[in-house]
Amino acid sequence: MAPRPLSQEEIDAALAELPGWESDGDRLRRTYSFAGHLPAAAMVIHVARIQDELDHHADLLLGYNTLAVSVNTHSAGGRITERDVELARRIAAVAPAHDVRS
Ligand SMILES: C[C@H](O)[C@H](O)[C@H]1CNC2=NC(N)=NC(=O)C2=N1
Protein backbone atom coordinates (compact mmCIF):
# COMPACT_ATOMS: atom_id res chain seq x y z
CA MET A 1 0.00 0.00 0.00
CA ALA A 2 1.31 3.46 -0.87
CA PRO A 3 2.26 5.55 2.17
CA ARG A 4 -0.04 8.40 3.12
CA PRO A 5 0.97 11.98 2.21
CA LEU A 6 1.69 14.01 5.34
CA SER A 7 -0.32 17.11 6.21
CA GLN A 8 1.46 20.48 6.32
CA GLU A 9 1.27 20.32 10.13
CA GLU A 10 2.97 16.92 10.14
CA ILE A 11 5.65 18.20 7.75
CA ASP A 12 6.26 21.27 9.93
CA ALA A 13 6.54 19.09 13.05
CA ALA A 14 9.07 16.83 11.32
CA LEU A 15 11.12 19.79 10.05
CA ALA A 16 11.29 21.22 13.57
CA GLU A 17 13.44 18.19 14.45
CA LEU A 18 15.56 18.39 11.26
CA PRO A 19 17.77 21.48 11.42
CA GLY A 20 18.69 22.86 7.98
CA TRP A 21 16.03 20.87 6.15
CA GLU A 22 13.20 22.66 4.40
CA SER A 23 10.19 21.91 2.27
CA ASP A 24 8.42 23.52 -0.66
CA GLY A 25 5.40 21.37 0.14
CA ASP A 26 6.24 18.61 -2.34
CA ARG A 27 9.81 17.74 -1.32
CA LEU A 28 12.12 17.67 1.68
CA ARG A 29 15.42 19.32 0.82
CA ARG A 30 18.75 20.12 2.32
CA THR A 31 22.12 21.12 0.87
CA TYR A 32 25.12 20.04 2.93
CA SER A 33 28.55 21.71 2.61
CA PHE A 34 31.75 19.80 3.34
CA ALA A 35 35.47 20.44 3.79
CA GLY A 36 36.18 19.40 0.19
CA HIS A 37 35.15 17.15 -2.67
CA LEU A 38 36.10 13.76 -1.21
CA PRO A 39 34.11 14.25 2.01
CA ALA A 40 31.12 15.27 -0.11
CA ALA A 41 31.56 12.23 -2.38
CA ALA A 42 31.94 9.92 0.63
CA MET A 43 28.66 11.25 1.95
CA VAL A 44 27.01 10.22 -1.35
CA ILE A 45 28.09 6.62 -0.78
CA HIS A 46 26.93 6.68 2.83
CA VAL A 47 23.53 8.09 1.81
CA ALA A 48 23.25 5.53 -1.00
CA ARG A 49 23.75 2.70 1.51
CA ILE A 50 21.03 4.10 3.75
CA GLN A 51 18.72 4.54 0.78
CA ASP A 52 19.09 0.93 -0.34
CA GLU A 53 18.56 -0.24 3.26
CA LEU A 54 15.32 1.77 3.45
CA ASP A 55 14.39 1.07 -0.19
CA HIS A 56 13.74 4.79 -0.51
CA HIS A 57 15.84 7.04 -2.74
CA ALA A 58 16.41 10.78 -2.85
CA ASP A 59 17.70 12.83 -5.77
CA LEU A 60 21.34 13.62 -4.96
CA LEU A 61 23.33 16.39 -6.64
CA LEU A 62 27.06 16.33 -5.91
CA GLY A 63 28.99 19.57 -6.32
CA TYR A 64 32.61 20.41 -5.55
CA ASN A 65 32.05 20.47 -1.80
CA THR A 66 28.28 20.26 -1.60
CA LEU A 67 25.61 17.60 -1.68
CA ALA A 68 22.03 18.61 -2.38
CA VAL A 69 19.42 16.11 -1.19
CA SER A 70 15.82 16.31 -2.39
CA VAL A 71 13.23 13.64 -1.70
CA ASN A 72 9.58 12.83 -2.03
CA THR A 73 7.66 9.59 -2.40
CA HIS A 74 7.02 8.52 -5.99
CA SER A 75 4.41 5.96 -4.98
CA ALA A 76 2.44 8.70 -3.18
CA GLY A 77 2.27 10.83 -6.31
CA GLY A 78 5.35 12.84 -5.49
CA ARG A 79 4.10 13.96 -2.07
CA ILE A 80 5.98 13.96 1.24
CA THR A 81 5.41 10.90 3.43
CA GLU A 82 6.85 9.40 6.61
CA ARG A 83 9.30 7.51 4.41
CA ASP A 84 10.89 10.83 3.37
CA VAL A 85 11.07 11.98 6.97
CA GLU A 86 12.72 8.70 7.99
CA LEU A 87 15.31 9.04 5.22
CA ALA A 88 16.00 12.66 6.19
CA ARG A 89 16.45 11.64 9.83
CA ARG A 90 18.89 8.88 8.87
CA ILE A 91 20.89 11.27 6.66
CA ALA A 92 20.93 13.92 9.37
CA ALA A 93 22.21 11.33 11.86
CA VAL A 94 25.28 10.41 9.79
CA ALA A 95 26.11 13.86 8.40
CA PRO A 96 28.22 14.99 11.41
CA ALA A 97 30.64 12.09 10.78
CA HIS A 98 31.43 13.64 7.36
CA ASP A 99 32.82 16.94 8.64
CA VAL A 100 29.81 18.97 7.53
CA ARG A 101 30.61 22.71 7.42
CA SER A 102 27.02 23.88 7.01
C1 LIG B 1 10.24 -1.06 -6.00
C2 LIG B 1 10.77 -0.09 -4.97
O1 LIG B 1 10.43 -0.51 -3.69
C3 LIG B 1 10.19 1.28 -5.19
O2 LIG B 1 10.38 1.71 -6.52
C4 LIG B 1 10.74 2.29 -4.21
C5 LIG B 1 12.20 2.59 -4.45
N1 LIG B 1 12.60 3.92 -3.98
C6 LIG B 1 11.70 4.91 -3.87
N2 LIG B 1 12.12 6.13 -3.60
C7 LIG B 1 11.27 7.15 -3.53
N3 LIG B 1 11.74 8.38 -3.26
N4 LIG B 1 9.94 6.96 -3.68
C8 LIG B 1 9.42 5.75 -3.93
O3 LIG B 1 8.19 5.61 -4.07
C9 LIG B 1 10.32 4.67 -4.04
N5 LIG B 1 9.90 3.44 -4.26
Side-chain angles (χ1 to χ4, degrees):
M1 194 170 68
R4 173 183 68 80
L6 298 184
S7 67
Q8 190 59 52
E9 289 72 24
E10 289 171 319
I11 294 168
D12 291 344
L15 288 173
E17 308 293 323
L18 287 165
W21 286 78
E22 57 189 23
S23 171
D24 61 5
D26 287 332
R27 290 183 160 268
L28 295 183
R29 305 178 191 273
R30 169 147 187 190
T31 297
Y32 287 98
S33 298
F34 300 87
H37 189 57
L38 284 180
M43 179 71 172
V44 171
I45 301 300
H46 204 160
V47 170
R49 285 181 55 178
I50 293 167
Q51 292 184 154
D52 264 4
E53 182 188 326
L54 297 180
D55 190 25
H56 199 66
H57 304 82
D59 295 334
L60 303 176
L61 181 63
L62 176 64
Y64 158 59
N65 65 346
T66 59
L67 178 64
V69 182
S70 171
V71 65
N72 61 20
T73 300
H74 313 150
S75 62
R79 305 280 302 281
I80 297 169
T81 71
E82 191 57 41
R83 298 193 71 192
D84 304 304
V85 174
E86 173 64 11
L87 177 58
R89 286 182 181 136
R90 291 285 302 273
I91 293 171
V94 301
H98 291 272
D99 201 10
V100 167
R101 297 300 164 93
S102 66

